[in-house]
Amino acid sequence: MPPSKRQPKPETFDQAFRSVLKDLRIKKGWTQSQLAPNAGYAQNYVSNIETGKQDPRFSVVFNLVQTLGTRPDLYMKAVVKRTQPKPAEKRARIKR
């Protein structure tokens, strides 16, 4: 059976919001326990944000993002990018 040509679905905004935050934290090499006190929050609060159990205010997310060394506008751009469908691959045309 040939591999599926279907593109993976883009993330929902909520999924992208959480996964980009987690990716930034991991990229910095921090655990939730390291991020939380540096940003002024409890570790379980950061965990609840990343798992979708709590919806933080924008000011909290921006504080977390800035603590991770990223500008909030770049964070939001990454979130939006993950919610967009990926462009389909172009097929090579055969010249005759």
Side-chain angles (χ1 to χ4, degrees):
M1 189 170 190
S4 174
K5 299 210 185 237
R6 295 173 66 185
Q7 296 288 330
K9 287 186 178 181
E11 294 181 68
T12 65
F13 184 80
D14 289 339
Q15 290 168 332
F17 197 77
R18 295 188 305 266
S19 63
V20 171
L21 180 63
K22 182 177 180 179
D23 290 348
L24 287 172
R25 176 180 57 76
I26 291 170
K27 184 177 178 182
K28 185 159 180 92
W30 282 6
T31 64
Q32 293 173 348
S33 297
Q34 291 169 307
L35 171 58
N38 280 292
Y41 305 109
Q43 183 273 328
N44 66 326
Y45 183 55
V46 173
S47 175
N48 287 343
I49 291 169
E50 287 186 2
T51 58
K53 294 177 183 170
Q54 284 190 278
D55 293 322
R57 294 177 181 219
F58 273 110
S59 60
V60 171
V61 174
F62 281 17
N63 183 32
L64 290 169
V65 169
Q66 288 175 321
T67 301
L68 291 168
T70 301
R71 292 184 357 219
D73 61 315
L74 296 178
Y75 166 76
M76 293 306 297
K77 186 175 181 178
V79 169
V80 170
K81 184 176 180 181
R82 287 205 187 179
T83 64
Q84 304 299 312
K86 294 190 176 21
E89 291 182 18
K90 294 182 180 179
R91 294 183 180 181
R93 294 185 183 223
I94 301 173
K95 293 182 180 181
R96 294 183 184 197

